[in-house]
Amino acid sequence: MSEKTAAKVISIENLSKSFGDHQVLRKIDFAVAKGEVICIVGSSGSGKSTLLRCINKLEQQTDGKIYFNGKEVEEKQREINEYRSRVGMVFQSFNLFENMTVLKNCMLAVTTVLHESKKEAFERAIKNLKSVGMAPYINAYPSQLSGGQKQRVAIARALCMNPEVLLFDEPTSALDPEMVGDVLNVMKELAHTGLTMIIVTHEMAFARDVSTRTIFMDRGYIVEDAPPHELFYSPKNPRTREFLSRFLKDQTEKTEAVANG
Amino acid sequence: MNFTDPSNILEWIVYLANEYKFMFLEGLWTTLYIAVIGTFFGFILGYLVGMVQDIKINKQDNIVKRIVMRVVKIVCVVYVEIFRGTPMIVQGMIVYYGMLQADIKISPALAGILVVVLNTGAYMAETVRGGINSVDKGQKEGAWSLGMSPMLTMFRVVLPQAFKNVVPEMVNTFLTNLKMTSVLNVIGVSELFLVAKTAGGTYYKYFEAYLVIAVIYFVICFVLNRLFLLLEKKLAKKKAYTLAVEYMEGTA
Ligand SMILES: Nc1ncnc2c1ncn2[C@@H]1O[C@H](COP(=O)(O)OP(=O)(O)O)[C@@H](O)[C@H]1O
Ligand SMILES: [Mg+2]
């Protein structure tokens, strides 16, 4: 472990992941300091989700190490649970508990994993649901909410654990366009609170404006890792350039399509 | 109509029903309690086996734990296959006479309950496994990502939903068991079927005696089925939620 690793909240060294013969992540190296907001961009299939899932131990890496606050995350179930209670994750498909109300969704892990009192769990739930604008819906079941509402509840649920790091895997990709803004705004506010965040997203404007560092991934490699203005306006790697130009073209076309009705 | 000196089918039915009413009632009671107790413990067994089959063996666990898990899983699979692959009537014979030969004193009724439990457990295990699989994997990952253990996730998130999906099949299993207890007459359990056999044999009026219990079986199953359907409908109804107005300030 390098000295650099010790000072970081999360650091990843030499991480590789294969599914059978198919190598999805290749020698990934990067570290996240407290308060950083990192956006990971890249075309689909480049391994972004797999990277986040490895960080959260939902996938087991084939090779390499993950350190949390300078300590290697071990493969024991108990340690993994402990670690996960401090590193939250927000999924593209929300993954709320369908058999529980919004309030119960937010309270369950606080009482059962952190062993906090019901009262404390309730207060945390209300506080965080308020911050995402979902407090009035405490009695609703997930199936009674829209996608954007579900995702905001999912964020509140993760926040109730008081996580040190929050991972987001394309949190707005499954949403109707008119809901995307609400969720992005919530995330933007979170970024300003100093929470450490790693966000996989296709929302380039968001990545550019909110992240403190942007990572471009391609075919399992981290191709470029730079402050957003560098990565978006003077990308060093030709693959980054190609990806961004494709994105910019899409963007212009979209704008034109809107302009032309 | 002359019910004391019966001469036609209807009169015979009424005569038998009346003459043997206490035996029929006792038979019905036996049928019911074997079905209820057997199904109940069968469900528990089925849930246990179904859950065991869902447990993933973790490469990181120590070797003893992994071997134990593997053996338990194999035992479960073999058990389920055997009991699903043989008729209950044969299972009854084997359990009862096997116990006798092993010098284990067991009443026919207890042997009957045991058979129902084992049989129900095997079928329920498969049903429960299906119910567990029907809960989408995302919710599990959602729970894990909050630090919940696989066990906690199973009991708080997966099972409650699996249970809901499995309830209709549980009702079905119970009603099937109620009827299937009739095969237990072969090991001398005095449930409804055996009572009918006895009553019919006395006067050589089998047709009428079996008609009597057919009516009893039918009425019980019909009524219970309707009740369960009603209950199911009630459970399925999701009430509209009420907005918590006290938290409305400052939100859209
Ligand atoms: N569980 C899995 N089994 C096999 N292949 C997988 C699995 N998960 C992802 N992959 C493969 O890994 C590659 C990267 O996937 P993913 O990490 O989801 O990419 P991204 O999130 O960047 O779109 C894809 O080619 C995908 O097919
Ligand atoms: Mg993805």
Side-chain angles (χ1 to χ4, degrees), chain A residues 5-217:
Chain A
T5 301
K8 304 290 184 178
V9 183
I10 284 192
S11 60
I12 287 153
E13 288 184 1
N14 205 21
L15 188 89
S16 295
K17 170 73 186 173
S18 303
F19 293 106
D21 296 338
H22 182 26
Q23 187 161 13
V24 174
L25 295 177
R26 302 161 196 266
K27 297 190 181 297
I28 300 283
D29 262 301
F30 80 102
V32 185
K34 196 167 156 46
E36 275 194 290
V37 176
I38 295 192
C39 282
I40 303 178
V41 300
S43 42
S44 100
S46 56
K48 306 179 300 294
S49 296
T50 308
L51 175 58
L52 276 200
R53 292 170 60 81
C54 281
I55 295 177
N56 204 246
K57 304 303 280 173
L58 290 173
E59 301 286 355
Q60 206 195 335
Q61 69 264 34
T62 319
D63 196 18
K65 290 191 166 128
I66 297 170
Y67 296 92
F68 180 58
N69 289 326
K71 192 170 159 289
E72 190 185 342
V73 182
E74 286 188 47
E75 288 302 331
K76 296 203 184 83
Q77 187 65 50
R78 201 175 280 240
E79 296 226 4
I80 291 176
N81 295 345
E82 218 295 294
Y83 164 74
R84 282 182 182 149
S85 72
R86 298 161 70 184
V87 177
M89 182 144 174
V90 173
F91 301 83
Q92 185 176 341
S93 50
F94 328 120
N95 296 354
L96 294 176
F97 309 138
E98 298 287 334
N99 57 327
M100 291 175 209
T101 60
V102 165
L103 182 64
K104 278 273 169 59
N105 262 278
C106 291
M107 288 174 63
L108 181 65
V110 178
T111 52
T112 58
V113 176
L114 303 179
H115 304 291
E116 295 288 354
S117 68
K118 275 228 165 91
K119 186 166 165 288
E120 166 70 17
F122 177 78
E123 280 163 8
R124 280 194 199 185
I126 296 296
K127 186 186 107 201
N128 289 302
L129 284 168
K130 267 185 181 166
S131 75
V132 300
M134 286 301 292
Y137 296 88
I138 45 174
N139 300 318
Y141 284 86
S143 60
Q144 296 167 317
L145 301 177
S146 72
Q149 292 176 320
K150 283 187 206 177
Q151 195 59 297
R152 285 186 280 151
V153 171
I155 293 173
R157 180 177 73 176
L159 289 173
C160 284
M161 303 296 285
N162 290 339
E164 290 176 48
V165 182
L166 204 44
L167 312 172
F168 294 81
D169 189 6
E170 296 195 28
T172 58
S173 293
L175 302 182
D176 293 334
E178 66 269 24
M179 309 263 173
V180 171
D182 288 345
V183 172
L184 290 181
N185 281 337
V186 164
M187 291 167 63
K188 203 180 280 181
E189 274 170 38
L190 274 179
H192 293 316
T193 64
L195 179 68
T196 313
M197 296 157 79
I198 306 177
I199 304 163
V200 169
T201 185
H202 288 299
E203 299 290 334
M204 296 299 157
F206 176 85
R208 184 193 58 205
D209 299 339
V210 178
S211 71
T212 55
R213 239 167 81 206
T214 308
I215 288 176
F216 169 62
M217 277 185 75

